[in-house]
Amino acid sequence: MHAPPTDVAALPPQQSGGPARTASQPSGEPLGKGAGPAWWMWAVASGLFLVYMLLSLRTHERLLSHSFDLAIFEQAVRSYAEGHLPVSEVKGPDFPVLGDHFSPVLATLAPLYWLWPSARTLLVAQAALIAVSVLPLAQWARRALDSTAALVIGVCYGLSWGIASAVGFDFHEWAFAVPLLACSLAALGEGRRRAAALWALPLVLVKEDMGLTVAAIGLVIAWQGSRGSGWRTGWRGRRPGIALAAAGLVCTGLAMLVWLPALNPSGSYFYAAFLGGGPAGGAGGAGAAGGGLGALLQKLTVGLVTPETKVATLALLLAPTLFLALRSPLVLIALPTVLWRGVSDYQSHWGTGFQYSLTLMPILFAAFIDALHRRGTTAAGLRRYLAGAAGVCALLLPSHAFGQMLQPPFWETDPRVAVAHRLMDRIPDGARVQASDYLVPHLADRTSVSLYGWADSRPDPEWIMVDTAVAPQLHWPLSPVAEAVSLNQARQRGYRTVAEENGFVLLSRS
């Protein structure tokens, strides 16, 4: 059932002299009806796809992708492609990935992996998923504002720092959430509540935390459906949103309290430790004890804005929208993600690096479009807002991953890369291997590979390959000294040196 005409009529009318796009819509017709994306929108999405793909593939080719997380996800997809539930040797011997994060959506990549069994498959798929999310947002902006606004907002969104940070750091399952969020929020902004709910519901298959975002979308749908109606009519309008919110909460609860603990070897939801549920190990884990009600209150108040890194991140999240996103109720959909990151004890959740801001970008830019539409600003005013947004985007661009592409070293290939591949080629298919962090993703498609020096890695591999020439600050999980000691101990246990060249050491147990 389509949204009633009151959803559109309730929006503030455009002021005289402002963008009059909505005036051309037939009376009572939701803004969402009409032609598909214009040719130039496809051109923008295609251009962004090429940018994302080049950034990801060049990073991988330069041996700068990681075991955590690219190799983990490739091993999961490889498992699906081989016809069994996903496991990751990087996480531990036969570690069940569905006990780590609830992301069954990864199974959809299995057919692509049949055609191209490589980590590059995941990187190209991620580039396509994020690039296509530009289309629904740009199309909505064109209908609600005008074509110029759609172009500027689409480019600013596509080049935003949150997307850059994610694309520049391996592959993540959240890439599937971005187009779903963009389609759901565009439909919600246009008053198509049923479509918004249908696009939002599959988010629960992306990751366990996305059910909270689904719940937030449901609450906004319920609020939107109850406006301008009596109690009985308002209740009917709220029911779809309330049902969606309940579904999101139930799915998240089942995943975190039932499914993940049942499959995780620890018997618990591991990442609850980052929220104060107990000690956490893992890659960079910094868990803390719960601390009781007082600690929880502190986390939910002062803890959301301290240390100052959290405030800086909040400011940078809103800056590309000139803080106008705060004028739209759609910004409330970002609250679950902002809150769990704010209360987390894991410091990487607080900053602007890695993939953690990826799913916030479509929400904030959707709120930006909605805010501009609600303001009913003049054409000149709209141009000023668009110029400001473009200026912020350009200012932030060089400081994040896309800025690498403007530097000559990004396009240069270190001769050591060829040496690494030549030595890795000496490792037979199907072998059990331990390798350095940056080498693991290049072996995950044909061997059973885990991380050298990682306590949970499968012991006594058949092969060991280590890059001893990595810069000291990039040595992980072992320090250079600890790594040298470990290699000597391996030789004493019977491993022989097969090759040692340009800092790469290849050992074999046979």
Side-chain angles (χ1 to χ4, degrees), residues 212-405:
L212 301 177
T213 300
V214 172
I217 293 173
L219 292 177
V220 173
I221 291 174
W223 171 79
Q224 188 185 75
S226 65
R227 288 180 300 163
S229 303
W231 181 88
R232 190 180 301 276
T233 304
W235 169 247
R236 288 199 297 268
R238 284 191 294 265
R239 278 187 300 183
I242 293 173
L244 181 66
L249 292 175
V250 168
C251 288
T252 289
L254 288 175
M256 292 184 178
L257 301 177
V258 179
W259 181 266
L260 293 168
L263 290 180
N264 194 293
S266 70
S268 63
Y269 176 47
F270 176 81
Y271 298 95
F274 293 148
L275 304 180
L293 181 59
L296 178 61
L297 290 175
Q298 191 275 338
K299 282 174 173 284
L300 293 174
T301 52
V302 177
L304 291 176
V305 292
T306 55
E308 61 274 9
T309 302
K310 298 179 183 180
V311 178
T313 297
L314 288 173
L316 283 173
L317 285 169
L318 293 166
T321 72
L322 307 180
F323 289 79
L324 287 178
L326 293 172
R327 293 176 174 264
S328 167
L330 297 184
V331 77
L332 297 173
I333 297 169
L335 277 181
T337 300
V338 171
L339 287 175
W340 73 250
R341 288 177 62 184
V343 303
S344 173
D345 295 319
Y346 185 43
Q347 294 184 14
S348 294
H349 288 160
W350 306 343
T352 59
F354 308 111
Q355 73 280 9
Y356 300 115
S357 296
L358 176 61
T359 58
L360 292 175
M361 292 297 106
I363 299 173
L364 294 171
F365 275 87
F368 185 41
I369 298 169
D370 187 48
L372 289 175
H373 179 61
R374 288 170 177 271
R375 286 177 69 85
T377 186
T378 63
L382 179 61
R383 286 195 296 271
R384 287 194 295 270
Y385 288 129
L386 295 175
V392 171
C393 176
L395 184 65
L396 295 176
L397 190 65
S399 60
H400 290 86
F402 293 145
Q404 301 175 33
M405 303 180 73

Side-chain angles (χ1 to χ4, degrees), residues 34-52 127-140 142-143 147 150-151 154-155 158 179 183 199:
W39 67 268
W40 57 264
M41 295 182 188
W42 288 104
V44 168
S46 299
L48 290 170
F49 168 69
L50 290 176
V51 170
Y52 302 157
L129 287 166
I130 297 176
V132 79
S133 69
V134 174
L135 297 176
L137 293 177
Q139 189 176 18
W140 173 29
R142 182 181 61 166
R143 291 167 176 165
S147 293
L151 176 61
V155 172
C183 289
W199 281 113

Side-chain angles (χ1 to χ4, degrees), residues 72-89 95 97 110 113-114:
I72 292 174
F73 285 112
E74 182 182 0
Q75 288 175 336
V77 173
R78 179 181 172 185
S79 298
Y80 283 122
E82 292 173 351
H84 58 82
L85 291 177
V87 295
S88 173
E89 283 289 299
F95 186 93
V97 175
Y113 200 81
W114 294 336

